[in-house]
Amino acid sequence: GAGVSQSPSNKVTEKGKDVELRCDPISGHTALYWYRQSLGQGLEFLIYFQGNSAPDKSGLPSDRFSAERTGGSVSTLTIQRTQQEDSAVYLCASSLARQAGGGTFFGPGTRLTVL
Amino acid sequence: DAKTTQPPSMDCAEGRAANLPCNHSTISGNEYVYWYRQIHSQGPQYIIHGLKNNETNEMASLIITEDRKSSTLILPHATLRDTAVYYCIVRVENAGNMLTFGGGTRLMVKP
């Protein structure tokens, strides 16, 4: 596709369950980011992948959160033992390696609701 | 990334110019000013960016003061579809491309 895609668009889960969120970046983009946005709040950085380098995990809120990027393309964000405070919209973005911030493209997000 | 300060909300009449201010008094010489917006239920969208010269594209104009401590995003003829949260971000170009979002300005365009 032409843009960043994410799936599912909506996810409702019960507290304590694990969830996986998927991101398909724009083809050829080597940089991939995950952000989350709680209701009425700004964007919160979670993790950043750049090519084959070790990811920047400095934004992950706890060890229940992890992400991987296979083959330098698709990324999966996993949240284990979900809590109600994990409810948010999870946004994925991608860009070329040395593109300025103007070239960062965001997906539509996955709305996660933890009951 | 340097921090920015924006008013939390603004109103604008449809068809009029929307002028969105941003203060970035601690900006460094190699940091750019970027503007993004987020329309309800969508991901952020890039608008424009600049270093020290004023910039214009099909979406907006960016006016940066000579001392670079503040800037203004101008939507020349606001429409209802411009209602969104507008984020002003300062960052070094190619700094891992990570964007640090603050609270932004919620612009409400009214008929």
Side-chain angles (χ1 to χ4, degrees):
Chain A
V4 177
S5 60
Q6 294 184 245
S7 61
S9 55
N10 282 283
K11 177 71 176 178
V12 179
T13 191
E14 294 179 348
K15 177 181 175 181
K17 300 283 189 182
D18 298 351
V19 295
E20 286 189 352
L21 312 179
R22 177 188 168 105
C23 172
D24 283 271
I26 293 173
S27 178
H29 281 190
T30 58
L32 185 147
Y33 321 79
W34 283 97
Y35 293 82
R36 75 174 175 180
Q37 187 171 33
S38 301
L39 185 64
Q41 302 297 312
L43 274 74
E44 175 187 4
F45 165 74
L46 297 177
I47 188 169
Y48 161 58
F49 295 89
Q50 175 61 66
N52 296 320
S53 302
D56 176 355
K57 303 179 182 180
S58 59
L60 295 179
S62 77
D63 59 7
R64 296 186 295 104
F65 288 72
S66 63
E68 63 178 20
R69 189 178 185 192
T70 54
S73 181
V74 172
S75 178
T76 301
L77 177 69
T78 301
I79 309 173
Q80 296 178 310
R81 306 180 303 281
T82 52
Q83 304 295 313
Q84 289 182 332
E85 60 262 29
D86 299 334
S87 296
V89 176
Y90 289 80
L91 290 157
C92 176
S94 73
S95 68
L96 291 171
R98 292 192 177 278
Q99 186 75 39
T104 302
F105 297 88
F106 284 80
T110 293
R111 182 175 299 278
L112 175 65
T113 303
V114 182
L115 302 177
Chain B
D1 291 351
K3 293 189 181 296
T4 62
T5 304
Q6 298 177 252
S9 64
M10 290 182 64
D11 289 345
C12 177
E14 187 179 19
R16 304 297 293 270
N19 297 285
L20 297 147
C22 180
N23 287 321
H24 31 80
S25 59
T26 60
I27 191 171
S28 300
N30 61 344
E31 288 183 313
Y32 286 69
V33 180
Y34 287 86
W35 283 84
Y36 276 72
R37 73 179 182 183
Q38 187 172 25
I39 295 171
H40 182 62
S41 298
Q42 298 182 22
Q45 176 191 25
Y46 165 79
I47 301 174
I48 198 167
H49 76 286
L51 183 63
K52 54 183 177 181
N53 296 322
N54 298 337
E55 302 288 340
T56 296
N57 63 21
E58 66 277 5
M59 289 182 68
S61 294
L62 173 61
I63 307 299
I64 302 174
T65 58
E66 191 170 345
D67 64 6
R68 302 210 322 122
K69 293 184 177 182
S70 65
S71 61
T72 301
L73 179 75
I74 301 173
L75 308 178
H77 305 287
T79 70
L80 298 180
R81 287 175 293 182
D82 292 322
T83 293
V85 178
Y86 287 77
Y87 294 98
C88 170
I89 301 164
V90 294
R91 59 183 293 282
V92 176
E93 191 172 39
N94 299 329
N97 279 313
M98 186 181 76
L99 300 169
T100 302
F101 289 82
T105 296
R106 184 173 298 277
L107 175 69
M108 179 71 71
V109 180
K110 298 183 176 180

